Amino acid sequence: SIRWCASLKDGLKIAQPDGGLAESYLNEAKSSLKRAEADFIDGDLLWSTVVIYYAEYYSLYAFLQKIGMKCENHACSILAAGELLGKEKIKTINNHKSMRIDAQYYMRVGKQEEVRKMLQDAKSFVAQFDEIVSNLTAEEIEKFRKKLIFLIR
């Protein structure tokens, strides 16, 4: 639960909103997408799968940084974004997280067409979070912060 995440040592923490760091995470997300595409073209489906997930995670984490939330636990970061933006927004990353774990820890990699679809979905995911982060108003940031504070108490 979100409260459990807040109780973890490296779990959810309220911090100062950091637009600069959010921008850095968005840039890293876009750069990671390019690396994932290059890995895919080179036929390295394992690393493409891993980097696709991280591209998505960086874009999601950019949102959390922009609203002033820190978290070193991926599951908790994803959960928090889902609580704030709606479960629909995190379906892709949750699916790709499982695929990344299968690839990275069990050497189970999707077929080329599956990884190609992952890459397309990741491009949409990163673009969606880029748009969310880039267009957040001060009022929206405050609203998200208040909601998060309420959820973790």
Side-chain angles (χ1 to χ4, degrees), residues 19-130:
L21 196 51
E23 189 64 33
S24 294
Y25 273 105
L26 283 175
N27 289 335
E28 190 56 40
K30 294 169 195 169
S31 172
S32 294
L33 271 182
K34 289 180 183 155
R35 270 196 302 282
E37 191 149 38
D39 287 339
F40 179 79
I41 290 166
D42 289 345
D44 190 343
L45 300 181
L46 189 149
W47 275 109
S48 185
T49 299
V50 171
V51 178
I52 284 167
Y53 166 77
Y54 279 100
E56 292 169 350
Y57 184 77
Y58 292 146
S59 66
L60 179 144
Y61 201 69
F63 165 72
L64 298 180
Q65 284 294 312
K66 181 86 174 206
I67 65 166
M69 198 196 91
K70 283 178 29 174
C71 187
E72 294 179 22
N73 179 302
H74 284 218
C76 290
S77 295
I78 294 167
L79 179 66
E83 290 287 340
L84 296 172
L85 297 170
K87 303 279 186 260
E88 192 61 34
K89 293 271 192 283
I90 60 168
K91 273 169 78 169
T92 298
I93 195 170
N94 271 330
N95 184 26
H96 292 175
K97 182 177 182 226
S98 299
M99 294 170 84
R100 190 255 324 168
I101 289 167
D102 282 350
Q104 207 169 359
Y105 297 109
Y106 304 104
M107 295 291 145
R108 290 194 302 259
V109 181
K111 294 182 176 32
Q112 189 172 8
E113 279 312 306
E114 290 173 297
V115 179
R116 184 189 317 274
K117 180 166 178 7
M118 276 183 80
L119 192 53
Q120 289 312 114
D121 291 346
K123 287 176 182 178
S124 296
F125 185 93
V126 170
Q128 182 180 48
F129 271 84
D130 186 9

